[in-house]
Amino acid sequence: MSRWLIATMTSVLFIALVIAVTGFESLLADVEVISQPDATPYLGPAMVVGATVVVFLATAVGAREGNPGVTALVAAATAYLVMLGVGAVGYALIRSDLTELLVFPAGYALGPFVVGSVVVALLSVLGGVTAARHGARNPVDTHERQGSAGRSSTGDEPTGR
C-alpha cells in the first residue's frame, strides 16, 4: 500500500478520534473546547487542521525510514506546538492584540483539548507507521505467489515441463 494512502487514512482517523475524544471530554468534564466567548467557531477546527497536517507528513515520512516510536513522539511534540501556535495566532488576529500570542498558549498548554489531541496524534502516527512497516514486510500479494507456484500463466499445466 502506498505510504501516501496510509498517511491519508491515518489523518482521517486522527480527525475522527479528535472529534470523539473532544466530545467526550466536553461532555464528561463539562468544559468548552475553546472557552473564550469571542473566539470564532473556526479556531478549534483550525488547530486540529494544523495538527492533521503534522500527522499526515509524519506518517508519510515515518513510513519510509526511522523508528516508529521516535517518529510518533516527534509528531506529537510538533502537533502540540502547531496547535498552540495556530490557536495563538488565530486568537491574536481575532482580538487584534499581540499579547494573546503568549496568553492563549499559556492557557491551553495543559488543557484537555490540546493534550487529548496530542495523545491521539501520538497513537495515530505510531499505528500508521507500524502498519506501513508491517505491510512493507508482508506484501498483500503473498496469496497470489503461493497459489501460482506450480502453475503456468494460464493455470492449466504445471510449469517446468
Side-chain angles (χ1 to χ4, degrees), residues 51-138:
T52 303
V53 170
V54 171
V55 167
F56 178 82
L57 293 174
T59 305
V61 170
R64 292 183 77 185
E65 58 191 34
N67 184 345
V70 173
T71 302
L73 285 173
V74 169
T78 307
Y80 178 76
L81 294 174
V82 166
M83 286 186 76
L84 291 176
V86 168
V89 169
Y91 194 62
L93 289 173
I94 292 167
R95 295 281 308 258
S96 299
D97 186 10
L98 288 178
T99 59
E100 292 298 335
L101 290 172
L102 297 175
V103 174
F104 185 88
Y108 284 91
L110 296 177
F113 170 57
V114 174
V115 172
S117 299
V118 168
V119 170
V120 169
L122 179 108
L123 296 175
S124 297
V125 171
L126 182 63
V129 171
T130 303
R133 297 278 178 84
H134 181 72
R137 276 187 264 138
N138 301 325

Side-chain angles (χ1 to χ4, degrees), residues 22-45:
T22 303
F24 278 113
E25 287 173 349
S26 181
L27 179 68
L28 297 176
D30 196 29
V31 293
E32 292 291 325
V33 174
I34 304 293
S35 60
Q36 280 83 357
D38 56 347
T40 68
Y42 304 112
L43 187 59

